[in-house]
Amino acid sequence: MLSEQRGRVLVLAAKAAGDALVERLTASGYQCASTEREAGLAEMVDQLQPEVVLLSVTAKRAAELLETVRKVDKLNRLPVLVDQGRARSAEAFKRLAVDDFVRGADELVPRLESALRAWRFKEREERIRLRMGMLLEITQAATSSLELEEILRIAVEKVGQVTGTDRCSVVLVEGSHARTATVVATQEDPSLVQLDIEVARYPELRRALETRQPVLIEEAQRDPLMAEVRTSLLPVGVKSILVQPLICQDDLLGALFLRVSRGDTSIGRDEQEFAQAVAGVLANSIRNARLHTAVKKKREDMELAYVERYRELNDANRRLKELNRLKDEIIAVCSHDLRAPLQVLLGHGRLLLEGPLETQQKQSAEAMIRQGRKILTLVESLLEKGKGEAARLSIEPRVLDVAQLCRDAVAELEILAAEKPVVLRSECPDSLMLIGDEVKLHEVLQNLISNAIQHASDTKGEVVVRTQRLSRPDGDAVRVMVSDNGVGIPPDELHLVFDRYRHGPKGTGLGLAICKEFVELHGGEIWAESPTDGGCTFVFTLPLAQEAARNPRPQPAAGAAPEQPRVLVVEDEPEIAAVLSEVLRSKYRVEVARDGAEGLAKARASRPDLVVMDVFLPKLDGLDAAMALKSSSDTAHIPVILLSAHQGVADKVRALNLGAVDYMAKPFNAVELLNRTERALKLRQGEKEQQDKSAPLQKRTGSDPATGLHDRRGLLLRLEQEVARSRRYHRSLTLAVLRPDRSLEALPSNMADVMRKRVRHPDAIAHLGQGVFAVVLPECNADAARTVINRLMPDVEKVTSIEYRAALADVSQDSDPVEKLLEKLGAPPPELL
């Protein structure tokens, strides 16, 4: 066995004893060196690189030398043996902290052999433990939220520590046949990062990339592969090189490059296996980073395309609205200009008929009047169609007397009834006030009375319009009945008369379908009846205004029926609020607030089952109020339906993003309002049934259950979006962290409301735990953000009774990960919360 293979022994003894031991050990295959003096010990250790120390001196001298050995870095971990063969007493050596004793010449080699085996085994275990620890640290870094450059920098440092190489670098390529590569991390010189190199100038790198196999150069000065670059290697003194390809799912991403220049170090089997394991981890991290970059770029491209497309659609919508407005103006002008001369022609036609005319002249005048009326009907129809579907299915509410409206309609149609002839009269003595659209209700009455006149008996025809007050638990209503004494409608056809596409007898149907739509717009009902004594009666009901009720509504007995849901209407226009109240009061208990601040206060105090709220309100608009409701844990569960005269998609999306469950445009359809209200309440009921399961779900989705604000996960997602947006559009973005002087386990219930009062709608607030808050302020520079935080801090300190410290910075141009941005501002890591 060669001496380098059997072991290297440093003998510390007097010259004669040391020479004898060296001679004997050399003959046994050991490489040895001997000295007794401390001077020159370090140089001898550097030359020999011993694996075991043998002391052959007196006990007193052994203690001195042992203390010297423990002070030398390369000796303090080596096993130390004491030769007791020449000692007079072995008891003196027992106090020495050594690894073993040699009690005779025949024990020397076996003891040395045993000590070397134990030390080598311990060193190997230590190296394995070091490699596993370093590999674990590299894996943890690769699976964290760190940027790829930081992960690779950590990796090359750890690999260099384990393998003892003087250069460790990561080189990335694009594709299997890339001609150039980029050094993205290096241990030797950090300034070489992002250095582009030509693959052809590095034969070992070229072969590793071509074959996709590790390339090991044990002796760079003699290896044939390095012949073309040997002259450039000589000044550097390169001894060994290892190139480990980085491959993930058959994608060649680059290589891990290791170089050793010292003559006493080599790249062994253990180092090769460690480099292979690290390469697998890094390849997976690099591929994920590239996929993330590609997805992020795709998302940004899609966002830009969406913005551009939205701008194009918005411009097109604006042009269409302008064209529609011009169309309405043209139709209005034309219809007005046509109706005026037609009225003149019809008036003169009636004058002609009243004068003395011959038979032929009378027939001509009647034809002129008949065709003029037809043209006038067409003009009015054209004007109504020009207003569009929204005008037909919307109401313009005002307070009116439905009894007076019936009397006026009867008076207007008396001429038509007299031509038949039919007796037309009204029986509407009482004043019955409601809130509705006078034009549409007038059209309903005209349609019903005209049909009744048309179908009344040919002999002694009679049409009667009656009104009657109805007392209901949910509020008084009015019943309007239009009766005729004609042939009537068979009972099996009564349900067809309001069908737009199936007409009843003598062609009734289309006008009645419109009547049905208009009545339902007001929250009423309409139907037809066939009395037993003949004829037909059309009946419709409408809710009366609340102040018109003469008697208080009876309260349901306790336990008699389930309590109606409570709806809070927040509307500043009294007439619209009255319409909303009357429509909703048919099914729900309704309370009204006149502005946003009052609505928010009533919602917090009474906790209604639903809030129906206008967007544009005094004191506090609907969007602010909705956000305030959703930001408080006490009111976050209340569904909100927002109303607005603006019908833009952006307004609707913004309202829904702020927590509203629905968004309706004014003017509204009463039936649709009731349907959406019922749907919102059903959604709320479903949420109540799942209340026990909501807490973990809320935690997963990035919301803090204690405050209703963002939690750490939700904040990181929002902050990443805002950072990307600020960098893309070069806009300011400020991040602030508020930390209490001591941990705060329980937060006040109104904490979210207190903080929301001082920030804007786009700002995001998060509770990171134990009273630590973070505030994201988009499009806000550091100076403006400092003003906001300075206003917010006293409120937070007042409600928590704890002093706070704030740190903030403009992070729009900071390239660090979002988690790192929080740490810079003093946010504690998640594991400390």
Side-chain angles (χ1 to χ4, degrees), residues 21 53 146 149 159 210 269 301 434 448 608 616 691 777 793 809:
L21 287 172
V53 178
L146 295 175
E149 290 77 8
V159 173
E210 289 175 352
R269 182 64 181 173
D301 293 343
L434 57 76
L448 295 179
F616 297 99
Q691 190 171 9
L777 300 102
M793 289 275 287

Side-chain angles (χ1 to χ4, degrees), residues 393-666:
L393 295 179
S394 62
I395 59 175
E396 297 179 4
R398 60 180 294 267
V399 180
L400 55 92
D401 185 353
V402 69
Q404 184 61 44
L405 195 64
C406 292
R407 291 192 290 267
D408 292 344
V410 168
E412 292 173 3
L413 295 174
E414 281 181 349
I415 298 176
L416 179 63
E419 291 179 355
K420 177 107 187 222
V422 170
V423 176
L424 175 62
R425 71 176 190 273
S426 63
E427 298 178 0
C428 309
D430 297 331
S431 176
L432 300 167
M433 306 303 294
L434 57 76
I435 298 174
D437 191 315
E438 182 177 5
V439 175
K440 286 182 169 53
L441 293 180
H442 186 271
E443 186 172 347
V444 171
L445 289 169
Q446 278 194 328
N447 273 333
L448 295 179
I449 296 172
S450 299
N451 279 339
I453 293 173
Q454 181 182 355
H455 296 94
S457 175
D458 294 334
T459 59
K460 297 183 179 180
E462 184 181 28
V463 174
V464 182
V465 180
R466 300 182 180 89
T467 57
Q468 179 185 3
R469 181 186 295 272
L470 299 177
S471 296
R472 292 178 174 175
D474 56 346
D476 290 356
V478 59
R479 174 188 290 170
V480 181
M481 296 164 285
V482 180
S483 304
D484 66 73
N485 61 349
V487 297
I489 301 174
D492 58 342
E493 294 184 9
L494 287 175
H495 65 284
L496 301 177
V497 295
F498 297 103
D499 194 329
R500 184 180 292 273
Y501 304 105
R502 296 180 62 186
H503 294 192
K506 298 184 181 180
T508 61
L510 184 57
L512 294 177
I514 296 175
C515 291
K516 183 175 185 293
E517 291 179 355
F518 288 175
V519 169
E520 290 180 348
L521 276 175
H522 290 76
E525 296 177 294
I526 186 170
W527 66 92
E529 297 176 351
S530 288
T532 56
D533 55 350
C536 182
T537 300
F538 284 87
V539 185
F540 66 91
T541 61
L542 296 172
L544 289 174
Q546 184 178 7
E547 54 269 20
R550 293 178 298 182
N551 300 318
R553 296 187 181 96
Q555 297 296 327
E563 192 176 42
Q564 289 180 318
R566 293 177 295 115
V567 178
L568 174 63
V569 174
V570 188
E571 172 61 62
D572 59 323
E573 292 290 339
E575 293 185 348
I576 298 178
V579 172
L580 287 168
S581 300
E582 293 306 318
V583 171
L584 294 172
R585 194 168 279 115
S586 61
K587 291 186 177 181
Y588 312 108
R589 291 181 295 155
V590 180
E591 186 177 1
V592 179
R594 300 302 181 185
D595 57 63
E598 182 185 355
L600 185 59
K602 286 189 175 182
R604 289 171 174 168
S606 62
R607 311 283 176 82
D609 298 291
L610 176 70
V611 175
V612 179
M613 180 160 49
D614 189 18
V615 170
F616 297 99
L617 294 169
K619 296 185 180 179
L620 185 70
D621 67 24
L623 297 179
D624 288 337
M627 178 177 288
L629 289 174
K630 294 303 172 184
S631 299
S632 174
S633 58
D634 296 335
T635 56
H637 63 281
I638 302 175
V640 178
I641 297 178
L642 290 176
L643 304 176
S644 175
H646 295 275
Q647 303 183 25
V649 175
D651 294 333
K652 181 175 182 179
V653 170
R654 185 184 177 203
L656 296 178
N657 286 340
L658 291 177
V661 298
D662 209 342
Y663 180 95
M664 290 184 63
K666 294 180 181 178

Side-chain angles (χ1 to χ4, degrees), residues 705-812:
T707 61
L709 302 173
H710 290 300
D711 62 4
R712 194 181 192 95
R713 179 176 177 274
L715 173 69
L716 293 178
L717 293 175
R718 175 69 180 273
L719 183 57
E720 186 174 358
Q721 295 173 357
E722 294 295 345
V723 167
R725 189 175 293 110
S726 66
R727 293 172 183 170
R728 185 162 59 251
Y729 299 114
H730 303 286
R731 296 173 179 172
S732 299
L733 174 67
T734 302
L735 175 64
V737 174
L738 283 65
R739 297 189 60 182
D741 286 345
R742 63 178 187 274
S743 297
L744 187 62
E745 299 297 337
L747 290 173
S749 59
N750 62 337
M751 194 70 203
D753 296 339
V754 170
M755 302 194 72
R756 277 289 177 197
K757 288 180 181 178
R758 294 296 187 182
V759 298
R760 307 164 301 167
H761 302 314
D763 301 338
I765 307 176
H767 178 225
L768 306 183
Q770 297 183 2
V772 180
F773 294 94
V775 185
V776 181
L777 300 102
E779 300 187 20
C780 185
N781 58 33
D783 293 336
R786 189 171 288 105
T787 303
V788 174
I789 298 302
N790 288 339
R791 291 199 308 263
L792 176 62
M793 289 275 287
D795 295 344
V796 175
E797 292 176 346
K798 181 178 179 181
V799 75
T800 60
S801 301
I802 295 178
E803 292 187 3
Y804 268 76
R805 300 186 305 275
L808 59 86
D810 189 331
V811 298
S812 55

Side-chain angles (χ1 to χ4, degrees), residues 171 174 183 187 230 233 336 351 403 527 533 547 550 630 657 667 698 730 746:
V171 180
E174 296 288 343
V183 179
Q187 168 198 13
R230 187 165 293 134
L233 295 178
H336 180 272
L351 290 176
W527 66 92
D533 55 350
E547 54 269 20
R550 293 178 298 182
K630 294 303 172 184
N657 286 340
Q698 188 181 36
H730 303 286

Side-chain angles (χ1 to χ4, degrees), residues 186-198:
T186 182
Q187 168 198 13
E188 182 184 26
D189 186 358
S191 65
L192 299 178
V193 173
Q194 302 303 325
L195 175 67
D196 293 333
I197 60 175
E198 296 181 10

